Amino acid sequence: MDRRDFVRTSTVGLTAAAATAGLAPHPAAATGPVAPAIRRNRAATPIVISDLSGIRYKNGGPESAVERAFRGITEGEDVLDALVAGVNIPERDPTEMGIGYGGLPNADGVVQLDSCCMHGPRRWAGGVAALEGIETPSLVAKAVAELTDHHLLVGAGAQAFARALGFEIEDDLNTEDSRRLWLEWRRRVDPGHWLDPEERLRGQGRAGEETDPDRIKPPGSGSSTGADPDAPRRIRDFADASLEAGLSMVDDGLIPEGSFWGTINCDGINAAGDVCGVTTTSGLSWKIPGRTGDSPILGAGLYVDNDVGAVGSTGRGEANLYNLSSFLAVELMRQGMGPLDAGMATLERIRGNTVEARLLNARGLPNFDVRFFLLAKSGETAGVALYGSGETHYAVCTENGAEERPFEGLLEGSPRD
Ligand code: ASP
């Protein structure tokens, strides 16, 4: 039985699974809303789960994100405080190009960050989107939750909120590497006008590039005013050229795939059974300025329910926005699925809803990856990916220390086969 058959079988067996899990089966289990199964907090074995950024980047310090978070959780720190302190490590690490300081910038070369967090026992959440100038958006997201009754602040308003709280605002969160890669992307996306990245760095662009009607440029950039009847075509051309140029940089080994869509999601449970989660990212590299992905949106890039568990994600955010995937996976766990089956069923939903030709590879399958980190209230974890069974890994930290575990993939091969 392949993975897809397995998921189908699992879905059919949902009511049985719910019964096994001690939940009252609901008549609408297959199609409709399900009454929440309230599980009382019970002692749990502490564990933290994240993607590999949570284990590989230490910013020159002694601990990775999962180690820092696990230590905090087991020393009695609030679970969310511990997780956020953990992800602050890769957020501040200039060599991690998918998060915080040094994250790959948007099409205008500006680093715009997204983050959200959810506190299971307190049942509150906060997020920020398109935030500029602050290397630790997760701390701002937590402040939104702690200090306001709002859930999401964006752009200039989010920055002003952070400034008022004393966060340091940097002029530019680019590192030399992220800037250099952005220039290379510009050269690839618009080779007629961006011939030499070094020349551009010295401010010596080619004459006429602003006025050339064939120039491929991000929507909103430049100084033109008034309606441009050709704007839809230009935007479409830009979107296609941008993605193609970005993926060619991944194929050429200039950017790790994990940094093109780079995020850290980190979820944890303490000995009392309290579950929290945080997601933080610079989002899709070279995105249209203002683009917000799934990471700051509750239910898309993160969802936590203290009765059920936590699910977060990395990968093509638009797929999670469309499917509200993290919420879906938590709901499937609520109905009785284990984290592995819930993750697989969610991936299957994404695969089924991916129908546009520009999102499909030669095999008719999604030409992108999406990965989920699932933590059940029981402490059981799973890492699932559309692609990359056994070859790609996620991170966990337990009392035995931090370790990498292989993802379970839904589909064979790679997104661009
Ligand atoms: N999901 C993020 C986004 O689309 C990026 C990522 O996870 O790599 O913004």
Side-chain angles (χ1 to χ4, degrees):
M1 182 162 42
D2 76 9
R3 251 297 152 198
R4 275 188 258 171
D5 292 338
F6 175 68
V7 169
R8 265 194 293 275
T9 311
S10 304
T11 309
V12 170
L14 192 58
T15 309
T20 312
L23 307 180
H26 192 286
T31 54
V34 170
I38 302 297
R39 299 172 191 194
R40 303 217 175 281
N41 253 7
R42 55 172 191 267
T45 305
I47 188 165
V48 172
I49 180 170
S50 88
D51 55 83
L52 286 186
S53 301
I55 198 171
R56 295 210 171 152
Y57 294 90
K58 299 187 177 182
N59 195 21
E63 289 176 313
S64 64
V66 292
E67 290 167 329
R68 167 63 186 86
F70 185 80
R71 181 170 60 77
I73 284 171
T74 50
E75 288 177 1
E77 206 175 349
D78 174 80
V79 177
L80 186 58
D81 287 350
L83 296 174
V84 169
V87 301
N88 288 165
I89 296 169
E91 280 180 328
R92 291 192 170 109
D93 189 329
T95 64
E96 168 35 289
M97 291 190 289
I99 306 168
Y101 175 51
L104 294 176
N106 68 18
D108 282 347
V110 177
V111 181
Q112 283 187 331
L113 304 173
D114 297 339
S115 177
C116 77
C117 59
M118 292 187 78
H119 198 286
R122 297 182 64 185
R123 294 178 196 266
W124 57 232
V128 289
L131 175 63
E132 296 177 13
I134 296 168
E135 24 183 72
T136 53
S138 61
L139 282 171
V140 187
K142 190 158 77 75
V144 171
E146 281 170 338
L147 304 175
T148 80
D149 65 350
H150 303 332
H151 274 173
L152 184 61
L153 295 181
V154 308
Q159 194 191 60
F161 171 80
R163 182 184 283 115
L165 286 172
F167 281 87
E168 197 171 328
I169 315 288
E170 310 284 342
D171 287 342
D172 186 2
L173 292 179
N174 276 292
T175 56
E176 250 176 58
D177 279 343
S178 65
R179 188 89 186 153
R180 184 178 46 75
L181 288 168
W182 175 71
L183 287 164
E184 174 59 20
W185 167 79
R186 287 302 286 142
R187 189 181 70 78
R188 290 182 184 219
V189 97
D190 190 10
H193 299 97
W194 291 68
L195 295 179
D196 180 355
E198 294 305 321
E199 211 174 67
R200 289 295 306 171
L201 265 183
R202 294 193 299 271
Q204 298 164 348
R206 285 178 51 150
E209 71 173 27
E210 289 303 330
T211 50
D212 186 333
D214 291 330
R215 184 178 168 212
I216 298 175
K217 60 184 180 182
S221 61
S223 56
S224 61
T225 54
D228 173 2
D230 214 20
R233 180 193 63 81
R234 284 166 175 279
I235 291 173
R236 187 73 259 165
D237 285 355
F238 172 77
D240 290 346
S242 170
L243 189 62
E244 198 177 312
L247 292 176
S248 76
M249 291 174 76
V250 175
D251 290 342
D252 291 349
L254 295 176
I255 321 176
E257 188 165 344
S259 296
F260 187 56
W261 283 284
T263 289
I264 180 166
N265 162 247
C266 192
D267 312 301
I269 186 167
N270 68 6
D274 287 333
V275 189
C276 294
V278 59
T279 300
T280 175
T281 187
S282 57
L284 174 66
S285 307
W286 336 127
K287 57 196 174 187
I288 293 174
R291 178 267 189 189
T292 294
D294 58 322
S295 304
I297 305 299
L298 309 176
L302 175 71
Y303 199 73
V304 176
D305 185 315
N306 210 44
D307 298 328
V308 179
V311 175
S313 182
T314 184
R316 184 172 179 272
E318 282 71 11
N320 288 334
L321 286 166
Y322 187 84
N323 294 288
L324 277 188
S325 313
S326 295
F327 178 76
L328 172 63
V330 167
E331 288 306 297
L332 292 172
M333 292 201 294
R334 186 198 304 280
Q335 292 170 26
M337 279 191 183
L340 178 60
D341 290 347
M344 284 295 168
T346 304
L347 291 170
E348 181 65 29
R349 176 74 63 90
I350 290 174
R351 192 200 60 77
N353 277 336
T354 304
V355 297
E356 277 196 82
R358 69 193 169 81
L359 296 175
L360 298 172
N361 62 21
R363 295 182 290 153
L365 296 171
N367 61 13
F368 54 85
D369 203 359
V370 177
R371 299 171 180 183
F372 292 104
F373 312 92
L374 302 103
L375 169 61
K377 181 81 173 168
S378 62
E380 193 186 346
T381 63
V384 302
L386 267 177
Y387 293 95
S389 210
E391 293 159 20
T392 51
H393 295 77
Y394 64 102
V396 296
C397 193
T398 64
E399 60 187 3
N400 300 321
E403 60 175 287
E404 295 183 16
R405 293 183 184 168
F407 275 113
E408 189 82 25
L410 181 72
L411 304 169
E412 301 294 325
S414 93
R416 291 191 294 288
D417 283 348

